[in-house]
Each structure stands twice: as C-alpha cells, then as structure tokens.
Amino acid sequence: MGNIHTGFQAIQSKMPRKRKAAKKRPVPTNPTLYARVKAQAKRKFKVYPSAYANGWLVKTYKAKGGKYRMGTGRKRK
C-alpha cells in the first residue's frame, strides 16, 4: 500500500506559492543617529538586547530628535 500523501504532495508541488506580505514595523528615519545611540546602549547595558536596553534606546533616540516611520525596513539575516 502506498503513501496516502503522495497524491497531495504532487498537486501541491505544481501550485504556485503565495508570497507573504512584508510586515510593517517602525523604521528609524535617521539611521546614523540610531546606530550611535544603539552603540551607547550596548556599552551601557550588560545584556543587550533586553527590554530595558531597547526602552532606553527608543527614549534616547527620540530625545535626540530621532523619529520613526512605518515601513518594511531591511531584511534580517
């Protein structure tokens, strides 16, 4: 008796795959300032990333004039 999934797998392999829509997430508008503040956070906190470090990062970035926009950002490795 054969595998019952072989017929389904054959049909599924011929169907075109749907692409997932990119998630919208906040992207910093000033990447240079964001990188500078992120480096400070890495020096300041023993554990990075952490909730405290990321909260401090956002608060400091905004205090220095940084803003966020909604976008796809860049791909993660």
Side-chain angles (χ1 to χ4, degrees):
M1 196 165 192
N3 189 351
I4 60 172
H5 295 291
T6 54
F8 177 72
Q9 289 172 346
I11 293 170
Q12 190 179 21
S13 66
K14 293 178 184 177
M15 294 174 62
R17 292 185 179 233
K18 292 182 182 177
R19 286 187 162 191
K20 288 186 178 180
K23 274 191 167 181
K24 298 268 186 178
R25 61 177 175 239
V27 178
T29 57
N30 188 345
T32 309
L33 176 62
Y34 186 82
R36 194 176 324 131
V37 175
K38 186 175 178 180
Q40 288 176 349
K42 286 182 178 182
R43 286 192 302 269
K44 182 176 176 71
F45 295 95
K46 193 179 276 188
V47 177
Y48 187 89
S50 69
Y52 292 111
N54 287 331
W56 183 88
L57 171 81
V58 171
K59 185 175 89 171
T60 307
Y61 175 69
K62 286 184 174 182
K64 293 187 179 214
K67 295 182 181 182
Y68 291 94
R69 66 175 170 80
M70 291 304 287
T72 55
R74 61 179 189 196
K75 290 186 178 180
R76 291 181 146 186
K77 291 182 180 180

